[in-house]
Amino acid sequence: MSRQTDNHTQSWAGKSSVSRDPLIRGYKYLKAVRQFALEPDMLNVIDSLSECDRIYRWIGNHIDAINTELNACLEACHGCFHEFARRPMRILAAPLAQNYGIDGLCNVLSNPVVILVDVGRTAPQDWLSIVIHEYAHAHLGVPGHDQRFFDVVTHLCLGLGLQPPQPQPGLETYLRNWPHCASTANPLAFWMGCHK
């Protein structure tokens, strides 16, 4: 990833924000990230004002560290491909609306491609699995879980030491949740600082 991309990613995380107030930083971060969602309401996580404030404050205090971890996962995926084969990508953490039922998404229409990951939906040791899945979409530049997706996910899993998928009937359905990772009971608990 280029230095320019790193700096731009950090500015989304609020590092260049004039406010030191975590509540304002968190609010500005989610407002900036919302533009990369496929639909604006994908980041509408809760209606209660007090819980929103708690989420904004936690994000304002912790999002830089979370995005640094996700960028390490992104760089690990990039490392599985020759430099000429790497598409420009950005990755950001954000709580996704629960009614969508997804751990992450890839906006292939943005340039560069933007991957959003709801890190509250799985344990930190499984974040790489979500990044691998969304990276495969970003690498191909298309949605869907066809044979090309299977090939890219297999390549990434083998390169990063995870169990690769196995060919089988119903590949599209099978690949929707590959690599597998356990879901948390309450994804918003992470974003409110209630995780261990």
Side-chain angles (χ1 to χ4, degrees):
M1 185 179 285
S2 71
R3 190 152 180 78
Q4 180 181 1
T5 300
D6 287 341
N7 289 338
H8 198 182
T9 301
Q10 290 174 353
S11 71
W12 293 335
K15 284 191 173 184
S16 66
S17 175
V18 293
S19 176
R20 292 181 183 253
D21 182 338
L23 178 71
I24 294 170
R25 287 183 75 221
Y27 172 79
K28 286 183 176 181
Y29 173 82
L30 284 183
K31 184 178 178 184
V33 172
R34 185 170 279 116
Q35 70 182 315
F36 300 108
L38 300 174
E39 297 176 15
D41 63 340
M42 290 183 111
L43 267 65
N44 287 345
V45 293
I46 203 151
D47 293 328
S48 167
L49 186 59
S50 63
E51 289 181 341
C52 276
D53 286 354
R54 188 172 176 183
I55 291 169
Y56 293 150
R57 190 171 282 110
W58 191 90
I59 288 171
N61 282 322
H62 301 283
I63 199 63
D64 297 331
I66 300 297
N67 281 337
T68 297
E69 288 187 45
L70 289 180
N71 272 297
C73 294
L74 181 71
E75 289 302 320
C77 291
H78 273 327
C80 293
F81 294 92
H82 292 290
E83 192 169 341
F84 69 86
R86 298 175 192 162
R87 292 190 66 183
M89 299 179 201
R90 295 183 179 133
I91 190 165
L92 300 163
L96 300 173
Q98 295 199 36
N99 59 313
Y100 284 88
I102 56 174
D103 301 334
L105 65 92
C106 174
N107 186 343
V108 297
L109 302 175
S110 63
N111 186 15
V113 172
V114 174
I115 296 171
L116 299 180
V117 176
D118 187 340
V119 294
R121 292 187 173 273
T122 61
Q125 64 266 22
D126 290 328
W127 292 354
L128 178 61
S129 295
I130 298 171
V131 175
I132 286 172
H133 185 98
E134 297 307 327
Y135 186 97
H137 287 301
H139 181 78
L140 293 168
V142 292
H145 303 95
D146 59 10
Q147 183 63 46
R148 292 184 318 140
F149 182 85
F150 175 88
D151 294 341
V152 172
V153 167
T154 298
H155 178 78
L156 288 164
C157 287
L158 291 172
L160 296 171
L162 297 179
Q163 177 75 33
Q166 301 300 312
Q168 59 184 273
L171 196 61
E172 173 85 19
T173 303
Y174 170 68
L175 290 174
R176 284 185 184 157
N177 297 306
W178 198 273
H180 292 298
C181 50
S183 296
T184 57
N186 180 5
L188 282 179
F190 179 91
W191 296 101
M192 291 188 281
C194 299
H195 58 285
K196 295 182 180 179

